[in-house]
Amino acid sequence: MFISFFSTFGQISSFDGINIQGQFKSNETGEEGVIFVLLDLDRDTIWSERHEDIVINELNTFDIVLGSGFRFGGSVDNFKDINWEFVDAVELDLL
């Protein structure tokens, strides 16, 4: 099943995470998984985390908190230690 992201936006909720709300371009409800990767200007990974079993409602929207997933890489060990001045891009991929 191919699903692409239509839109995402976030707001800072605390030092420990950022609320993300998004919408899939699919008419199917259920569960999906995503990977977030924060990149610096040199395209090096600052932070990467995985979210599994994201619930997709009847409007194809979802809510997660960036910073609360399973961290699996990057130069920063703790989400609240990220220097956002150096974050150049956020990539979002399906699992």
Side-chain angles (χ1 to χ4, degrees), residues 1-6 23-29 31-34 56 60 92-95:
M1 165 175 52
F2 177 75
I3 298 176
S4 62
F5 290 94
F6 176 68
Q23 185 174 29
F24 284 98
K25 277 188 172 180
S26 171
N27 293 330
E28 297 183 29
T29 59
E31 295 181 352
E32 287 293 331
V34 295
I56 303 165
N60 299 321
L92 185 63
D93 297 307
L94 287 175
L95 285 177

Side-chain angles (χ1 to χ4, degrees), residues 37-47 75 86-89:
V37 180
L38 306 180
L39 302 169
D40 66 14
L41 289 170
D42 296 324
R43 306 302 288 172
D44 293 326
T45 300
I46 297 171
W47 178 267
S75 59
F86 298 115
V87 175
D88 182 56

